[in-house]
Amino acid sequence: MATYVLLVKEEETEEFVVYKFGPDKDKLGRLRLNKISAEPEEIEKVPGTTSNFYYFTAASKLIRILKEGDGVFPDTTSYAS
C-alpha cells in the first residue's frame, strides 16, 4: 500500500515553522516544529482521522529537513513511500 503525505508551509519564524499536512489538499491538519529544540507539536488533527499516522510522518519529515537540509524549509514538500 502506498503512502503519501502532503506538507504545505503556513508560517515560519526564527524559532518555529508551521505546516499544514495530510493525505491531500482538502484534508489537512496543522503542526508546529520548534527549530531550536526540534520538538514537534500537533496543532490540529487531520479531519476524519483517528490515528496519528499523518502527524508522525509529517513531523519526521520536518525533523529530517531541520537536521539534514540545513534548516531550509520549502513552501511545499511531501513524503511518499
Side-chain angles (χ1 to χ4, degrees):
M1 182 172 150
T3 300
Y4 180 79
V5 180
L6 172 67
L7 293 101
V8 180
K9 185 165 59 174
E10 186 176 68
E11 179 182 357
E12 183 173 11
T13 70
E14 288 190 25
E15 293 182 22
F16 66 86
V17 63
V18 176
Y19 272 83
K20 292 181 178 180
F21 67 94
D24 60 57
K25 65 180 180 159
D26 297 322
K27 291 178 77 174
L28 297 173
R30 292 174 63 224
L31 74 85
R32 176 181 13 246
L33 178 68
N34 183 307
K35 293 161 75 174
I36 298 163
S37 67
E39 288 293 320
E41 173 190 3
E42 187 173 39
I43 299 169
E44 191 177 312
K45 282 191 153 311
V46 173
T49 62
T50 56
S51 78
N52 290 330
F53 171 77
Y54 291 111
Y55 166 69
F56 288 129
T57 303
S60 296
K61 174 76 175 184
L62 295 179
I63 291 168
R64 195 171 317 117
I65 290 170
L66 178 66
K67 295 187 181 214
E68 298 173 5
D70 297 325
V72 176
F73 291 92
D75 290 337
T76 304
T77 189
S78 63
Y79 171 86
S81 70

